[in-house]
C-alpha cells in the first residue's frame, strides 16, 4: 500500500501559525526567510503577528499558507511518499514539496495568483458559499440552470459554489428550496474557481510560462482530473484550468483509494483535509502532521 502528503488551501490560516517552529527550528526559519526574500516583503511578520484582516487578503494568505506548510514539512524531515496532492493553492505547495517548483518560485506564483484573483472582481461583488446537505449532482443541476459555478466538491454533503452576487444569491435560495441543510457565504475576499476568474487564468498562463516546472519526485494528483499527473506541460495547464473550474477533492480522495493509498498525512495549518477524508472514505488512515 502507499501513502500521500496533502496540503491545505485558503481558509486554514491563523495568525501565529508556524511561529514556534520559526523560533526553534533553523530549517523552518530558512523557509520563512526565503519566502520573505522572494517576495521582498516581511510576510513572516504578518503571518506571526497579523492583523488577521491583512493576512486573509488573498495575495498574502496564499504564499503564507504555502510557506507554513513547507516549513512544517522540512522541519519534520519526513521522507517524500509516493504521492502528493493539494487543495486549490495547496497544489503549488504539493509541487514544491515534490521538488517540481522551487520555494522561491512557489511564493512568487502564489503572490501573482492571489493578486490576480483579488482583482478579478470589485471587492464585495462576488460570493463564495458553502452548501451543506445536498449531493453534488443536485447542486450541479441547479447551478447549470442558473449559470452558477461549482467551486469545490469537497465531500459528500459539502459543496462550494462561487460567482458574482447577482448570480449566486438567487442560486443560494434555490438550493435551500431543494433541501440544503445550510447555505452560507464564506469569508473569502474574492469569488474562486469560477468563470469570474477568466482574466486571472490568463494572467497565470503568462506567469507560469516564465517558470520552469520539473517532473515531480512524487506522483501528483491533480484537482483538474482527480487523477495522477506527471507531465509538466499538463501540470501547468491544470494549474491554469483550476482558476476557472472546481476542485474535485471528493473524487481525488476516492481515486487515492483506487491507487492503493491507505495513509494520508495533512501538512500545514489546520486539519480540514483530514476531516474531509474521513467523510469520503474509511479506507484511508488520514491524520495531521503534528510538529
Amino acid at each position: 500500500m502507499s501513502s500521500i502528503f496533502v496540503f491545505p488551501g485558503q481558509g486554514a490560516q491563523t495568525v501565529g501559525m508556524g511561529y514556534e517552529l520559526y523560533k526553534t527550528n533553523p530549517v523552518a526559519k530558512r523557509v520563512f526567510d526565503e519566502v520573505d526574500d522572494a517576495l521582498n516583503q516581511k510576510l513572516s511578520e504578518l503571518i506571526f503577528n497579523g492583523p488577521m484582516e491583512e493576512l486573509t487578503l488573498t495575495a498574502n494568505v496564499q504564499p503564507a499558507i504555502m510557506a507554513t506548510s513547507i516549513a512544517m514539512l522540512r522541519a519534520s524531515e519526513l521522507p517524500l511518499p509516493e504521492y502528493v496532492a493539494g487543495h486549490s493553492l495547496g497544489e503549488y505547495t504539493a509541487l514544491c514539496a515534490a521538488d517540481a517548483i522551487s520555494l522561491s518560485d512557489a511564493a512568487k506564483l502564489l503572490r501573482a495568483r492571489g493578486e490576480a484573483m483579488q482583482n478579478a472582481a470589485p471587492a464585495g461583488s462576488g460570493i463564495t458559499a458553502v452548501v451543506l446537505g445536498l449531493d453534488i449532482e443536485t447542486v450541479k443541476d441547479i447551478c447549470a440552470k442558473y449559470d452558477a459555478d461549482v467551486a469545490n466538491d469537497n465531500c459528500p454533503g459539502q459543496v462550494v459554489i462561487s460567482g458574482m452576487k447577482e448570480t449566486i444569491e438567487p442560486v443560494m435560495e434555490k438550493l435551500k428550496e431543494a433541501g440544503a441543510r445550510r447555505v452560507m457565504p464564506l469569508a473569502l475576499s474574492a469569488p474562486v474557481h469560477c468563470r469570474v476568474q477568466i482574466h486571472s487564468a490568463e494572467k497565470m498562463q503568462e506567469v507560469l510560462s516564465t517558470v520552469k516546472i520539473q517532473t515531480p519526485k512524487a506522483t501528483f494528483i491533480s484537482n483538474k482530473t482527480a487523477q495522477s499527473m506527471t507531465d509538466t506541460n499538463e501540470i501547468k495547464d491544470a494549474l491554469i484550468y483550476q482558476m476557472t473550474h472546481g476542485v474535485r477533492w471528493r473524487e481525488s480522495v476516492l481515486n487515492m483509494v483506487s491507487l492503493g493509498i491507505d495513509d494520508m498525512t495533512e501538512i500545514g495549518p489546520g486539519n480540514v483535509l483530514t476531516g474531509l477524508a474521513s467523510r469520503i472514505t474509511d479506507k484511508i488512515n488520514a491524520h495531521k502532521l503534528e510538529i
Side-chain angles (χ1 to χ4, degrees):
M1 302 300 276
S2 302
S3 57
I4 187 167
F5 287 168
V6 296
F7 300 91
Q10 211 161 316
Q13 68 274 8
T14 56
V15 171
M17 60 185 181
Y19 182 57
E20 288 305 314
L21 268 183
Y22 178 85
K23 285 198 305 183
T24 60
N25 188 290
V27 175
K29 183 178 185 300
R30 276 199 297 275
V31 171
F32 287 109
D33 289 346
E34 187 174 336
V35 170
D36 285 353
D37 289 345
L39 299 179
N40 196 26
Q41 174 201 4
K42 274 286 186 183
L43 184 65
S44 58
E45 287 188 5
L46 179 60
I47 296 170
F48 303 148
N49 302 311
M52 185 64 168
E53 300 75 39
E54 194 176 340
L55 176 61
T56 301
L57 290 175
T58 309
N60 290 326
V61 75
Q62 294 197 25
I65 289 174
M66 182 279 299
T68 305
S69 302
I70 293 295
M72 292 173 70
L73 171 63
R74 292 189 180 173
S76 76
E77 299 184 349
L78 288 171
L80 195 65
E82 296 92 327
Y83 295 92
V84 293
H87 191 288
S88 188
L89 81 88
E91 291 207 302
Y92 289 81
T93 317
L95 290 165
C96 180
D99 290 334
I101 301 176
S102 72
L103 177 60
S104 176
D105 281 343
K108 290 173 185 173
L109 286 167
L110 286 171
R111 169 54 53 83
R113 183 179 184 268
E115 287 176 344
M117 287 171 67
Q118 189 64 59
N119 294 332
S125 64
I127 294 180
T128 301
V130 64
V131 183
L132 302 177
L134 283 182
D135 65 274
I136 182 64
E137 294 308 324
T138 301
V139 178
K140 276 184 177 175
D141 288 347
I142 292 171
C143 282
K145 278 181 193 168
Y146 297 95
D147 205 32
D149 292 328
V150 172
N152 300 340
D153 174 12
N154 281 334
C155 70
Q158 187 189 119
V159 181
V160 175
I161 62 172
S162 194
M164 299 303 285
K165 263 187 179 177
E166 59 267 26
T167 301
I168 297 301
E169 284 178 341
V171 173
M172 290 170 72
E173 292 308 311
K174 295 294 179 186
L175 290 164
K176 288 174 190 172
E177 290 169 16
R181 192 170 74 249
R182 202 167 177 200
V183 185
M184 57 182 181
L186 296 173
L188 294 179
S189 56
V192 297
H193 299 293
C194 64
R195 282 167 285 173
V196 176
Q197 296 291 343
I198 183 69
H199 295 304
S200 309
E202 292 166 0
K203 174 66 176 175
M204 287 312 295
Q205 183 169 18
E206 184 185 313
V207 175
L208 278 160
S209 70
T210 68
V211 171
K212 175 74 172 170
I213 295 184
Q214 309 288 343
T215 302
K217 291 181 179 174
T219 302
F220 173 68
I221 297 177
S222 166
N223 287 179
K224 176 184 177 182
T225 60
Q227 304 283 333
S228 302
M229 189 177 283
T230 53
D231 181 86
T232 56
N233 289 321
E234 279 185 42
I235 289 170
K236 275 192 181 183
D237 287 345
L239 292 173
I240 297 161
Y241 179 91
Q242 60 132 274
M243 300 294 290
T244 52
H245 293 77
V247 174
R248 297 168 63 182
W249 193 255
R250 177 185 58 85
E251 293 172 88
S252 296
V253 173
L254 291 174
N255 188 48
M256 292 172 198
V257 175
S258 69
L259 289 168
I261 295 169
D262 63 350
D263 188 81
M264 172 192 289
T265 304
E266 180 176 4
I267 301 176
N271 58 2
V272 169
L273 302 182
T274 304
L276 292 179
S278 66
R279 294 170 63 183
I280 297 168
T281 180
D282 61 1
K283 294 182 171 63
I284 292 180
N285 172 35
H287 48 96
K288 171 97 169 74
L289 174 67
E290 299 295 346
I291 185 167

